[in-house]
Amino acid sequence: MAEAEAAQLKEEGNRHFQLQDYKAATKSYSQALKLTKDKALLATLYRNRAACGLKMESYAQAASDASRAIDINSADIKALYRRCQALEHLGKLDQAFKDVQRCATLEPRNQNFQETLRRLNTSIQEQLRVQFSTDSRVQTMFEILLNENSEADKREKAANNLIVLGREEAGAERIFQSNGVALLLQLMNTQRPELVLAAVRTLSGMCSGHRARATAILHAVCIDRICSLMALENEEMSLAVCNLLQAIIDSLSGEDKREHRGKEEALVLDTKKDLKQITSHLLDMLVSKKVSGQGRDQALNLLNKNVPRKDLSIHDNSRTIYVVDNGLRKILKVVGQVPDLPSCLPLTDNTRMLASILINKLYDDLRCDPERDHFRKICEEYITSKFDPQDMDKNVNAIQTVSGILQGPFDLGNQLLGMKGVMEMMVALCGSEREADQLVAVEALIHASTKLSRATFIITNGVTLLKQIYKTTKNEKIKIRTLVGLCKLGSAGGSDYGLRQFAEGSTEKLAKQCRKWLCNTAIDTRTRRWAVEGLAYLTLDADVKDDFVQDIPALQAMFELAKTSDKTILYSVANTLVNCTNSYDVKEVVPELVQLAKFSKQHVPEEHPKDKKDFVDLRVKRLLKAGVISALACMVKADSAILTDQTKELLARVFLALCDNPKDRGTIVAQGGGKALIPLALEGTDVGKVKAAHGLAKIAAVSNPDIAFPGERVYEVVRPLVSLLDTQRDGLQNYEALLGLTNLSGRSDKLRQKIFKEKALPDIENYMFENHDQLRQAATECMCNMVLNKEVQERFLADGNDRLKLVVLLCGEDDHKLQNAAAGALAMLTAAHKKLCLKMTEVTTQWLEILQRLCLHDQLSVQHRGLVIAHNLLSADAELARKLVESELLEILTVVGKQEPDEKRAAVVQTARECLIKCMDYGFIKPVS
């Protein structure tokens, strides 16, 4: 019984394989393998499962299955060839060559085997040539670099060549095998910045995607030395070392997705100890006075990127727990630094914000209340330990720490605000004579008033205090911060026109003062940033945002600030632009509920007249004219944890709003908007990725892809567009994604192949069944381009599906645009395969009537495609041609062929005449003298 069931499962697997459902085929073969002991059947099943592995690009599995089949029958030629194919893809050319050599010995006349033999022989010879030349090149480069008498340009060229070589797998391995790590350490010992940089960048390339090499390099160079280089006051060096450490971490943790090959596959290394050591050293860097501001930023960036889980479905958060237990106090110390105090650690403008983001990520990564309570307890103990009546500097550090936490996990910050003495200390510091104390207190008040309930409390208790400081202080830094505090409290009602905290016109006055400071280049960048922070709150008011976009100097000043090295401004700029473009989510107001609210005398949100579409469109035009795209493109490139997923979502919203009008998309593309949208569509929040993908779809639908997404970037656009074909997305997103994919699929077969590999075909086919006319038309137009791809044609050739029938029936629809697309697809399919010409006559009894209607169509493009289909059918088979000649189609062809071929109708008349000539060739009709 088991053997019979195994044989049945094998047949079932074969059927799935023919239908190109390789996953299901693999499952059937695997089930059959468990049921049989028959050696011949076992060999067949392993061989067939190897074929599935090749199709699904699981080459290691395919090679393993083929080997098992060969173990049973060493002369199994199919299994040998499949193993050869798998080994070739895995880069094991010498082993692949041996397999195909055996195949060629067993079947010497097989042209396929002979061709593969020749190709592999050429590849192996080339590999050997490269290897030998690489060895000598590596030696030469080190000789030039380590020779103090070498010319400067020769040394620079050798350094660059070494870096490039280290990024290639073959080159990296040759450097490693040729005692290259010791020589690179010699370069680092020269202490010449350009040579040390070259050595670090070469090591980065060598570590990427190779766990064993990364481990060896980490131990050879030593983590202490790596961290000491990153701590230097040299931005370029610090970034290069950060990239080296990231490459090592990726390789050790398995985050590097590159397929490991050769001996690397067999290595099982326990990397936890090394990863823990790296984390420990990074935490120590945070509180060391010897570390530069740049070095501290890079350490925080690495911790932000590698400690919290990227996917919360993964249960293990041990890295976060380790950092909380061993490093949270160190992170809090960075957050609590006050730049104006003499004890302050070296910082950049971004350091405290990076530390706040890290605290936020660590807190979000905790799994249960006991873990969160432990986290809060450490924060409370740290802040309480800082309160000291005898030492005002310590009190300032405590309030600065609370302020930093409020910029991270807000719930935790709110709990800390409720601690005894915190709010009192803020108020006391506001009244201090020291300006450093006032600065910290005002910033803390600003961050404390984020929630409406908290803001209302501070409006009642703190506005008078803020106004008093604003009037009395002569320090611009304090004045601007108190103004932002007032801005934030004034905007506590959000975009609700009817809910205002301050008197009519107050917000416009505050905004005017913010714009004035923003344009004042005499004020330092860090202080001007607060002006943007104020506008981020005030632009919720429609009068403010309308005035702001008309102030071109203020807009351009904000864009210039967004391009500076101070990345703490990114969120405020993004927020301001979201407000100006009204790209925030607005809850739909149900009229019945509004009436009910009015009846019960509840507050009803009101829309400002200047928030209507005409005003928004005008604001978008002004922003584009002021150069918003170049600022957004620069913001997206920020390689920093400060560019959080929330900020990316805001930027995606702005981009989508800017792309709304098709006339503006050319400007967006010209200024680099297309390229900037790609990373936003690939990383960030789910909402942000969908918004960015929709923006990409709008651009891809109307732009030349070669200009909008130059080079290899165009292939990165495909996945975001395919993600919009989901039924959970709205109809407009589906439609514009289909238009974008149609445009891309018309460019090259490589792009069509990419769309096919992203599994877009089933979705495109589903939309061809859609009731919505525009969606159905867009999907059919996309399919019209996709049928040029061989793998798509194979889907139509496969038995047991209605794909061809659907296309034939769509040719008979009344919508001429839909007919045109469907006829185009059918013309290309019937031109590619004679089998499809015969299949077309079997899928529906209406095929001939539909074809005749196409050939008589009043739209010339549709008529031409119909005549091309007729010509393909006539050329495919003599019996089919006879059937067509015996129908009314001959009369149609004769009438069309006799017409005078004017400029518009030339192609139509010519195709009809070619059909008639084909009939004459068969002898079915004769020419009239």
Side-chain angles (χ1 to χ4, degrees):
M1 288 292 287
E3 293 293 342
E5 194 179 340
Q8 196 176 341
L9 281 165
K10 186 198 87 169
E11 293 304 321
E12 185 185 289
N14 292 349
R15 283 195 296 277
H16 286 309
F17 190 88
Q18 286 172 348
L19 294 170
Q20 298 178 14
D21 190 348
Y22 305 120
K23 267 191 182 175
T26 302
K27 191 178 177 184
S28 298
Y29 295 140
S30 300
Q31 287 172 341
L33 282 164
K34 293 173 186 174
L35 297 172
T36 184
K37 291 181 180 176
D38 181 273
K39 285 197 171 183
L41 184 55
L42 281 169
T44 305
L45 290 167
Y46 279 125
R47 186 175 70 208
N48 290 0
R49 199 167 72 173
C52 293
L54 286 171
K55 290 288 186 184
M56 294 189 294
E57 298 181 13
S58 302
Y59 299 120
Q61 185 61 46
S64 172
D65 282 337
S67 294
R68 289 184 180 188
I70 294 160
D71 289 343
I72 298 166
N73 177 10
S74 60
D76 188 336
I77 201 160
K78 283 186 179 177
L80 277 164
Y81 190 61
R82 280 168 195 169
R83 187 169 72 176
C84 160
Q85 289 173 295
L87 290 169
E88 184 181 355
H89 279 101
L90 290 168
K92 300 174 182 179
L93 302 184
D94 51 341
Q95 294 174 44
F97 184 80
K98 284 177 187 174
D99 279 347
V100 77
Q101 200 172 35
R102 193 129 173 259
C103 291
T105 307
L106 293 167
E107 277 189 26
R109 291 186 179 179
N110 189 313
Q111 290 299 313
N112 206 6
F113 296 160
Q114 295 295 339
E115 179 57 39
T116 307
L117 202 60
R118 279 193 292 272
R119 189 182 70 250
L120 284 173
N121 185 43
T122 307
S123 299
I124 289 166
Q125 294 303 320
E126 178 61 19
Q127 199 177 58
L128 289 168
R129 187 188 66 76
V130 169
Q131 185 176 314
F132 290 129
S133 65
T134 302
D135 284 350
S136 58
R137 277 167 62 203
V138 168
Q139 204 60 43
T140 308
M141 278 181 254
F142 278 119
E143 282 171 12
I144 293 168
L145 290 169
L146 293 169
N147 183 355
E148 291 185 9
N149 300 319
S150 297
E151 294 172 20
D153 57 336
K154 272 190 179 181
R155 188 174 284 165
E156 186 184 347
K157 194 175 179 182
N160 289 333
N161 287 341
L162 198 63
I163 294 164
V164 171
L165 209 57
R167 288 174 184 161
E168 297 166 4
E169 175 55 32
E173 191 57 30
R174 294 321 302 164
I175 295 170
F176 190 74
Q177 298 291 350
S178 311
N179 194 33
V181 177
L183 294 169
L184 287 166
L185 283 170
Q186 282 186 47
L187 282 184
M188 291 166 80
N189 288 336
T190 62
Q191 296 189 346
R192 294 177 60 172
E194 72 278 10
L195 295 183
V196 177
L197 261 177
V200 168
R201 286 169 176 163
T202 306
L203 288 168
S204 290
M206 291 170 68
C207 290
S208 296
H210 202 292
R211 190 178 296 179
R213 263 203 314 262
T215 306
I217 287 167
L218 176 64
H219 288 256
V221 181
C222 187
I223 185 65
D224 285 327
R225 186 167 189 184
I226 293 172
C227 289
S228 66
L229 279 172
M230 196 161 78
L232 294 174
E233 188 67 68
N234 179 326
E235 189 176 350
E236 195 177 15
M237 179 69 73
S238 195
L239 184 59
V241 178
C242 176
N243 290 336
L244 167 60
L245 261 181
Q246 187 60 60
I248 292 171
I249 292 167
D250 284 344
S251 295
L252 297 187
S253 61
E255 290 292 322
D256 195 303
K257 301 297 182 203
R258 276 192 266 181
E259 198 171 319
H260 297 303
R261 296 176 173 179
K263 293 176 186 176
E264 179 70 5
E265 261 181 12
L267 288 167
V268 181
L269 300 168
D270 183 12
T271 59
K272 287 179 183 172
K273 189 178 175 184
D274 285 332
L275 286 168
K276 193 173 277 189
Q277 191 186 26
I278 291 170
T279 305
S280 179
H281 274 76
L282 291 173
L283 290 169
D284 289 342
M285 284 182 73
L286 299 185
V287 290
S288 170
K289 283 210 163 188
K290 294 177 182 176
V291 176
S292 68
Q294 284 292 340
R296 212 175 310 281
D297 283 4
Q298 297 303 349
L300 284 163
N301 274 327
L302 285 165
L303 290 166
N304 264 309
K305 192 171 180 182
N306 298 295
V307 173
R309 290 170 292 169
K310 291 181 177 66
D311 182 0
L312 293 178
S313 63
I314 298 165
H315 190 68
D316 181 23
N317 70 339
S318 56
R319 283 190 287 191
T320 293
I321 300 298
Y322 175 78
V323 170
V324 170
D325 290 340
N326 298 280
L328 182 54
R329 288 173 183 80
K330 293 172 183 175
I331 301 164
L332 290 169
K333 183 173 180 178
V334 177
V335 166
Q337 294 299 298
V338 180
D340 295 333
L341 295 183
S343 60
C344 184
L345 295 166
L347 305 174
T348 70
D349 294 330
N350 303 318
T351 310
R352 287 188 62 249
M353 179 62 82
L354 284 166
S356 293
I357 289 166
L358 179 56
I359 290 173
N360 189 42
K361 285 188 173 183
L362 293 171
Y363 190 74
D364 285 347
D365 199 40
L366 301 174
R367 295 173 308 176
C368 56
D369 286 342
E371 287 180 1
R372 281 183 276 274
D373 289 341
H374 175 59
F375 193 101
R376 178 178 49 79
K377 211 168 280 181
I378 292 172
C379 293
E380 285 179 356
E381 285 171 6
Y382 181 85
I383 291 161
T384 310
S385 71
K386 291 286 175 186
F387 284 139
D388 186 349
Q390 307 301 319
D391 190 342
M392 189 53 78
D393 284 3
K394 280 183 137 186
N395 294 325
V396 173
N397 283 134
I399 297 304
Q400 185 82 317
T401 305
V402 174
S403 181
I405 294 170
L406 281 164
Q407 292 175 74
F410 189 76
D411 291 341
L412 175 64
N414 256 347
Q415 286 177 316
L416 297 177
L417 281 174
M419 282 170 61
K420 187 181 176 183
V422 171
M423 288 299 283
E424 292 86 344
M425 182 57 72
M426 280 189 197
V427 174
L429 288 174
C430 279
S432 168
E433 291 180 6
R434 278 203 317 179
E435 290 181 340
D437 300 352
Q438 288 184 13
L439 271 173
V440 169
V442 172
E443 281 189 30
L445 275 174
I446 292 166
H447 297 309
S449 58
T450 296
K451 281 193 176 176
L452 184 56
S453 56
R454 180 72 60 185
T456 310
F457 169 79
I458 296 170
I459 287 167
T460 312
N461 300 283
V463 168
T464 313
L465 195 62
L466 286 172
K467 283 182 177 176
Q468 186 63 34
I469 294 170
Y470 183 68
K471 285 175 186 173
T472 55
T473 187
K474 291 179 181 176
N475 186 325
E476 290 282 311
K477 291 180 180 181
I478 298 171
K479 197 179 268 286
I480 200 165
R481 283 163 174 76
T482 52
L483 181 74
V484 171
L486 292 167
C487 292
K488 190 169 184 180
L489 297 170
S491 67
S495 59
D496 184 352
Y497 178 45
L499 186 62
R500 293 188 167 209
Q501 299 292 331
F502 291 169
E504 186 78 37
S506 297
T507 48
E508 285 93 318
K509 285 178 186 174
L510 289 170
K512 195 173 181 183
Q513 186 59 54
C514 281
R515 298 206 312 267
K516 188 177 170 186
W517 267 317
L518 183 59
C519 294
N520 187 351
T521 51
I523 302 172
D524 67 278
T525 305
R526 198 154 158 247
T527 306
R528 286 167 69 208
R529 171 177 78 79
W530 284 95
V532 183
E533 186 96 5
L535 287 166
Y537 299 118
L538 294 175
T539 47
L540 284 163
D541 184 293
D543 286 317
V544 171
K545 64 181 104 171
D546 221 54
D547 290 344
F548 181 46
V549 294
Q550 291 181 55
D551 188 345
I552 299 297
L555 270 183
Q556 289 177 338
M558 182 176 79
F559 296 157
E560 287 307 311
L561 278 178
K563 296 174 186 177
T564 61
S565 59
D566 181 356
K567 299 304 173 192
T568 55
I569 199 171
L570 296 180
Y571 187 76
S572 303
V573 173
N575 242 325
T576 305
L577 291 172
V578 164
N579 294 340
C580 290
T581 55
N582 282 36
S583 47
Y584 40 72
D585 288 328
V586 179
K587 286 184 181 176
E588 192 178 341
V589 178
V590 181
E592 291 80 4
L593 291 178
V594 173
Q595 291 301 320
L596 191 64
K598 284 180 179 175
F599 180 74
S600 58
K601 296 183 179 175
Q602 296 290 319
H603 175 74
V604 179
E606 295 176 40
E607 185 187 40
H608 195 290
K610 287 184 180 177
D611 274 332
K612 297 196 183 299
K613 193 173 186 311
D614 291 349
F615 281 94
V616 176
D617 291 346
L618 198 58
R619 288 201 289 271
V620 164
K621 292 275 183 202
R622 284 175 175 150
L623 284 168
L624 286 167
K625 197 173 179 182
V628 67
I629 297 297
S630 61
L632 288 170
C634 195
M635 289 165 76
V636 169
K637 286 177 189 170
D639 184 23
S640 167
I642 290 174
L643 186 65
T644 59
D645 288 348
Q646 287 71 29
T647 309
K648 287 177 186 174
E649 183 185 316
L650 295 176
L651 295 175
R653 287 175 180 277
V654 175
F655 264 120
L656 182 57
L658 297 172
C659 292
D660 192 52
N661 189 334
K663 292 177 183 176
D664 295 333
R665 293 174 201 167
T667 307
I668 292 165
V669 166
Q671 294 176 9
K675 290 180 282 185
L677 263 170
I678 295 172
L680 295 178
L682 298 172
E683 293 174 2
T685 64
D686 290 338
V687 172
K689 286 193 282 190
V690 170
K691 300 276 183 195
H694 194 187
L696 277 175
K698 285 179 179 289
I699 290 172
V702 298
S703 307
N704 180 341
D706 299 334
I707 296 169
F709 317 107
E712 295 297 305
R713 284 192 188 91
V714 71
Y715 300 103
E716 295 175 41
V717 179
V718 173
R719 185 171 294 172
L721 296 193
V722 172
S723 72
L724 289 181
L725 298 183
D726 196 308
T727 49
Q728 292 180 342
R729 309 281 168 253
D730 64 48
L732 182 62
Q733 289 170 338
N734 300 155
Y735 176 68
E736 292 188 317
L738 286 165
L739 291 185
L741 288 169
T742 303
N743 198 6
L744 293 180
S745 59
R747 304 306 295 176
S748 70
D749 197 56
K750 203 173 171 186
L751 270 168
R752 287 189 283 274
Q753 188 66 25
K754 175 70 176 168
I755 293 168
F756 182 83
K757 279 196 169 184
E758 290 295 339
K759 299 182 172 61
L761 259 291
D763 292 321
I764 296 168
E765 286 166 357
N766 285 343
Y767 286 111
M768 288 171 73
F769 284 100
E770 184 67 47
N771 288 329
H772 193 287
D773 289 345
Q774 283 180 298
L775 272 175
R776 193 166 44 153
Q777 178 202 319
T780 310
E781 284 176 355
C782 190
M783 185 59 77
C784 180
N785 285 344
M786 287 301 296
V787 293
L788 288 166
N789 180 268
K790 284 184 181 178
E791 291 181 69
V792 177
Q793 291 168 11
E794 283 172 15
R795 285 171 72 88
F796 280 88
L797 283 164
D799 295 327
N801 69 77
D802 290 332
R803 293 185 183 96
L804 191 66
K805 181 179 180 179
L806 175 63
V807 174
V808 174
L809 292 174
L810 289 176
C811 289
E813 290 286 325
D814 293 331
D815 181 350
H816 75 85
K817 286 184 178 177
L818 180 60
Q819 275 185 306
N820 197 44
L826 194 56
M828 282 184 274
L829 286 167
T830 50
H833 295 279
K834 287 184 180 181
K835 186 181 172 183
L836 289 174
C837 295
L838 298 168
K839 193 175 179 180
M840 176 183 162
T841 64
E842 297 164 3
V843 291
T844 173
T845 54
Q846 301 168 37
W847 72 271
L848 188 55
E849 182 192 336
I850 289 168
L851 179 61
Q852 289 170 354
R853 281 179 62 193
L854 289 177
C855 294
L856 283 168
H857 208 282
D858 53 1
Q859 292 281 334
L860 289 177
S861 61
V862 180
Q863 186 182 19
H864 181 234
R865 292 175 182 205
L867 290 164
V868 169
I869 297 165
H871 185 270
N872 293 341
L873 298 184
L874 287 165
S875 306
D877 181 74
E879 279 307 308
L880 178 55
R882 187 187 295 280
K883 192 186 286 187
L884 290 170
V885 168
E886 289 169 357
S887 72
E888 292 173 12
L889 186 68
L890 179 61
E891 191 179 337
I892 295 166
L893 293 172
T894 308
V895 170
V896 177
K898 283 182 176 178
Q899 291 174 353
E900 285 300 318
D902 57 26
E903 193 179 334
K904 287 182 181 178
R905 306 185 64 83
V908 170
V909 175
Q910 180 61 31
T911 309
R913 289 177 181 177
E914 284 171 8
C915 289
L916 292 168
I917 290 166
K918 198 72 195 169
C919 296
M920 285 164 55
D921 291 344
Y922 283 124
F924 297 151
I925 61 171
K926 292 179 181 177
V928 179
S929 57

